[in-house]
């Protein structure tokens, strides 16, 4: 994803946005995938989840200061409101 694409998503979609930076080789990312799929299915009409391959979008990851994966970044009204690096489970 290009930074301009992210900017367009942030301005065009009024729903809160969660970016997930991941990579196919990342074991914690793979463990977390079913949890995020469950959340996306449950809240998909109220929250937008966008998966970003950190290897393929290294420039975007660098511009957002993503230092490790998995990293989740939550946006509300176009501004970052929360960030978490590391795996989560469905109880967190």
């Amino acid at each position: 994803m290009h930074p301009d694409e992210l900017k367009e998503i942030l301005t065009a979609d009024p729903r809160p946005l969660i970016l997930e930076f991941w990579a196919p080789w990342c074991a914690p990312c793979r463990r977390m995938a079913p949890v995020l799929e469950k959340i996306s299915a449950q809240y998909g009409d109220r929250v937008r989840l966008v998966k970003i391959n950190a290897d393929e979008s290294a420039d975007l990851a660098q511009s957002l200061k993503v230092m490790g994966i998995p990293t989740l970044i939550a946006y509300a009204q176009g501004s970052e409101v929360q960030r978490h690096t590391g795996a989560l489970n469905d109880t967190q």
Side-chain angles (χ1 to χ4, degrees):
M1 176 180 285
H2 189 272
D4 290 338
E5 291 175 87
L6 175 59
K7 188 180 289 186
E8 184 177 321
I9 290 170
L10 288 170
T11 57
D13 193 337
R15 295 178 294 173
L17 171 69
I18 298 174
L19 297 182
E20 176 202 4
F21 283 88
W22 70 285
W25 50 263
C26 170
C29 299
R30 290 193 309 269
R31 281 194 311 270
M32 204 167 68
V35 174
L36 291 173
E37 288 171 14
K38 179 180 172 183
I39 291 169
S40 181
Q42 186 174 358
Y43 298 102
D45 56 338
R46 294 180 284 174
V47 176
R48 182 171 182 179
L49 175 65
V50 177
K51 295 177 62 105
I52 299 173
N53 184 317
D55 291 336
E56 295 174 356
S57 298
D59 291 341
L60 179 60
Q62 184 177 3
S63 72
L64 294 175
K65 297 179 175 65
V66 173
M67 302 299 188
I69 55 173
T71 291
L72 298 174
I73 305 173
Y75 290 86
Q77 299 174 343
S79 298
E80 182 178 330
V81 293
Q82 192 166 1
R83 179 182 293 238
H84 179 85
T85 300
L88 295 171
N89 58 44
D90 57 357
T91 62
Q92 292 177 300

